[in-house]
Amino acid sequence: MKKEKLIIFDTTLRDGEQSPGASMQADEKMRIAKMLEKMNVDIIEAGFPAASPGDFKAVESIAKTIKDSTICGLSRALDKDIDRVGEAIKNANSGRIHTFIATSDIHMEKKLNMNPEQVTEQAIKAVKRARKWTDNVEFSAEDAGRTRVEFLIQIIEKAIDAGATTINIPDTVGYNLPHQFGDLIKTLINEVPNSDKAIFSVHCHNDLGLAVANSLSAVINGARQVECTINGLGERAGNAALEEIVMSVRTRSDIFNCDTNIDSSFIVPASKLVAGITGFAVQPNKSIVGANAFAHEAGIHQDGVLKSRETYEIMQAQDVGWDKNKLVLGKHSGRNAFKKRLSEIGVDLKSDTELNEAFARFKNLADKKHEIFDEDLQAIISDQVSDEFDECIKLVSLKVCCETGEIPKSVVVLNIDGVEQKGQSSGGGAVDATFQAIKKITRSDATLQLYSVNSITSGTDSQGEVTTRLQLGNRIVNGQGADTDIVIASAKSYINALNKIHLKDLKKHPQI
Ligand code: KIV
Ligand code: ZN
């Protein structure tokens, strides 16, 4: 029997980017968007154009470039926000405006200071305004998971009458339980008089670790669009993980009467790309994309898998793209092979100068490391993008002295706005001494919230990928750096974070 279509709406670039410190630069967003397109994601929520000029530009250029996925922008239910999305997506092959307003009593009373009639009126006005730009309009009842069902039914009916073609039911604070959320979707589809005129969508947050379970329960009860993110990235505890939704529906096709169009072999490459760009590492035991997801440690399991894979495996590692991580290039690879591979992983450098620069970085790395993998190429490009973007502070040189029984010392030279400055410090270890030296030179008040090191590939010659999270007032950013030497990677990542934290282009938060 032919399965119904389950629409995958990816919001890594919008809700995912709302994770503290996960903000991405335009080039990075574009690389992720290209990967999502290759994966056959139906709808890419590319950002919140009214949040900042940078967000507007990113959505606009993704809308111009991506041809096979619908590009969506988020807006509050306000004319000026909606018009910003309309402008940003007007050149898309297929574009969508997603507008939202809160509908729970607590949000209407405490946050919006509006009554249900005013909220309904604003929702109708917003949907009508959006329809002037496009006939593909999504309406979200924010905090629907805690909204009175009678009010939800009324406002949804009116939003559909006003022209909404997708109705999204967010469990904004991740409060629902699976059976309850499934029942809610069933009730809405049954009770909203014009429910057959729209697709019902769900958007679940993971505060109780139930985002995927709630989304799947909704699908069983009739939802035909799921909003999700790569690696479950997102506000607070995150959103439903795309890879878990897609593979659950596919692996349990005996239960689900729908399926997605996703090419699952891009799941692991997409996960690595997002983890590398945001610095949000994937835990080893994370389902589908964790390093141990297909590893069998216990002898009894290994024995079983050798005799018959199905004894302990319900999915094949290759089906989600684990074998795509193969050796791609080496020391003797030429410029053309390099360029071709970059393009295959979704990186198209704009000019010859950029290509030459990236190629020089590649040769440099290949001198230190025999085998260059896709992840290494992504790290090279991330480093290059940071260098072009971070005009203010640059690492010129770094010297560390470590010896058993001696206090580690570090001497750092930075170029700040074109002027070289030198600083030195001792510390508990090489990284600590280096961070102290950088802090002395920059005199930044930003405080270190997180420092983590991951190896990009396997082997002791692997590049270390370092994430440094800094906080200054209520602003939190993540910096990234990669190098075969982890002290240099650490310095790069700290400098990257310092450059970001002192940027002026602050964003508005969409739920405000
Ligand atoms: O969590 C939420 O309610 C949202 C909406 C804007 C869809 O992200
Ligand atoms: Zn959300």
Side-chain angles (χ1 to χ4, degrees):
M1 201 178 72
K2 187 155 169 17
K3 300 242 179 200
E4 287 177 41
K5 164 106 186 263
L6 177 62
I7 297 168
I8 293 295
F9 175 116
D10 181 280
T11 182
T12 307
L13 299 177
R14 198 278 298 170
D15 215 322
E17 206 207 10
Q18 276 171 231
S19 315
S23 68
M24 305 169 215
Q25 291 152 35
D27 296 55
E28 296 171 333
K29 286 188 165 187
M30 183 62 86
R31 277 158 63 204
I32 293 176
K34 286 183 179 170
M35 179 68 87
L36 296 174
E37 182 186 36
K38 272 196 193 163
M39 216 176 168
N40 292 339
V41 161
D42 300 288
I43 298 150
I44 300 173
E45 187 163 57
F48 175 49
S52 71
D55 247 50
F56 176 88
K57 276 210 198 94
V59 177
E60 187 186 41
S61 68
I62 290 172
K64 278 185 191 153
T65 310
I66 300 294
K67 299 290 171 224
D68 296 335
S69 308
T70 296
I71 303 304
C72 173
L74 181 69
S75 69
R76 291 168 296 183
L78 299 173
D79 288 358
K80 61 177 175 19
D81 275 32
I82 294 165
D83 292 349
R84 286 300 272 167
V85 181
E87 280 293 339
I89 59 152
K90 71 177 182 217
N91 292 313
N93 237 3
S94 163
R96 171 181 291 190
I97 298 180
H98 177 190
T99 184
F100 74 96
I101 190 161
T103 53
S104 63
D105 286 341
I106 181 167
H107 275 230
M108 291 191 292
E109 196 185 313
K110 306 267 192 256
K111 186 180 86 168
L112 299 176
N113 198 15
M114 286 167 81
N115 62 37
E117 290 69 35
Q118 291 168 318
V119 166
T120 308
E121 206 177 297
Q122 195 165 322
I124 296 172
K125 195 166 160 257
V127 171
K128 287 191 171 156
R129 179 102 182 178
R131 280 297 300 242
K132 293 210 162 91
W133 288 94
T134 168
D135 55 11
N136 191 343
V137 174
E138 172 169 332
F139 171 71
S140 279
E142 191 195 0
D143 205 16
R146 292 190 301 172
T147 297
R148 281 179 296 107
V149 181
E150 309 72 49
F151 178 50
L152 207 47
I153 293 173
Q154 284 170 21
I155 196 166
I156 291 172
E157 181 186 1
K158 298 211 163 100
I160 297 175
D161 273 345
T165 45
T166 298
I167 294 295
N168 185 38
I169 308 300
D171 184 18
T172 303
V173 291
Y175 180 68
N176 280 241
L177 298 182
H179 69 287
Q180 187 188 14
F181 198 60
D183 282 350
L184 173 64
I185 299 304
K186 190 193 265 171
T187 306
L188 294 176
I189 294 177
N190 288 339
E191 305 287 329
V192 172
N194 49 3
S195 66
D196 58 321
K197 308 237 164 16
I199 287 177
F200 277 70
S201 162
V202 288
H203 174 112
C204 296
H205 278 272
N206 209 25
D207 299 68
L208 292 174
L210 293 171
V212 170
N214 285 340
S215 306
L216 294 175
S217 173
V219 172
I220 289 172
N221 284 285
R224 283 295 173 266
Q225 174 178 289
V226 173
E227 303 197 352
C228 45
T229 56
I230 302 291
N231 298 340
L233 198 68
E235 186 84 43
R236 304 182 310 279
N239 290 60
L242 178 146
E243 59 278 7
E244 296 176 23
I245 300 286
V246 168
M247 292 316 289
S248 296
V249 170
R250 203 155 286 173
T251 308
R252 296 308 309 271
S253 61
D254 54 328
I255 304 281
F256 291 93
N257 58 355
C258 54
D259 197 7
T260 71
N261 271 351
I262 297 296
D263 179 345
S264 61
S265 69
F266 285 101
I267 283 180
V268 168
S271 161
K272 293 191 173 197
L273 179 64
V274 170
I277 285 177
T278 59
F280 280 57
V282 172
Q283 76 200 55
N285 58 329
K286 160 87 177 63
S287 41
I288 324 275
V289 293
N292 288 353
F294 292 87
H296 300 278
E297 180 70 20
I300 226 170
H301 288 207
Q302 289 175 348
D303 182 53
V305 170
L306 288 175
K307 287 178 176 143
S308 167
R309 194 188 56 76
E310 287 84 6
T311 50
Y312 286 99
E313 279 187 10
I314 56 166
M315 295 167 276
Q316 297 217 45
Q318 308 85 281
D319 289 349
V320 294
W322 275 106
D323 66 339
K324 279 208 157 77
N325 170 25
K326 52 185 181 300
L327 167 66
V328 288
L329 296 170
K331 196 178 165 126
H332 301 293
S333 306
R335 205 167 169 279
N336 280 343
F338 175 71
K339 188 177 172 191
K340 184 164 171 278
R341 190 61 203 160
L342 280 185
S343 153
E344 280 162 8
I345 60 169
V347 179
D348 292 306
L349 294 173
K350 284 181 228 94
S351 63
D352 274 358
T353 325
E354 279 183 352
L355 180 63
N356 291 343
E357 154 98 49
F359 190 59
R361 284 172 191 259
F362 159 71
K363 283 286 177 184
N364 194 5
L365 179 62
D367 270 344
K368 299 186 216 153
K369 186 173 186 288
H370 283 349
E371 304 173 325
I372 308 284
F373 297 87
D374 285 344
E375 291 87 337
D376 292 312
L377 297 182
Q378 297 283 13
I380 287 175
I381 299 303
S382 289
D383 250 21
Q384 182 164 327
V385 169
S386 304
D387 282 359
E388 281 161 8
F389 163 83
D390 301 329
E391 284 147 359
C392 183
I393 313 169
K394 284 183 169 34
L395 177 66
V396 178
S397 67
L398 165 63
K399 183 174 162 190
V400 281
C401 267
C402 295
E403 199 181 329
T404 39
E406 296 294 325
I407 296 174
K409 288 191 189 59
S410 176
V411 182
V412 177
V413 179
L414 300 181
N415 181 317
I416 304 182
D417 281 332
V419 181
E420 286 200 0
Q421 298 186 40
K422 188 173 181 174
Q424 49 187 314
S425 179
S426 53
V431 172
D432 186 40
T434 302
F435 279 24
Q436 300 295 345
I438 295 173
K439 204 170 164 117
K440 266 190 191 166
I441 308 174
T442 56
R443 289 185 218 98
S444 169
D445 290 331
T447 52
L448 185 68
Q449 300 294 318
L450 173 137
Y451 167 77
S452 87
V453 189
N454 248 304
S455 65
I456 293 186
T457 52
S458 54
T460 50
D461 70 345
S462 161
Q463 292 197 84
E465 187 171 48
V466 176
T467 301
T468 303
R469 184 175 301 162
L470 295 180
Q471 176 156 18
L472 186 62
N474 57 7
R475 195 158 150 71
I476 298 176
V477 300
N478 276 340
Q480 273 84 46
D483 199 280
T484 46
D485 181 318
I486 59 162
V487 183
I488 298 177
S490 303
K492 283 182 181 173
S493 127
Y494 188 31
I495 292 167
N496 181 236
L498 284 171
N499 276 305
K500 285 184 181 168
I501 209 149
H502 294 293
L503 265 186
K504 299 278 175 301
D505 183 17
L506 289 178
K507 291 182 182 197
K508 276 187 219 144
H509 191 289
Q511 264 101 331
I512 289 170

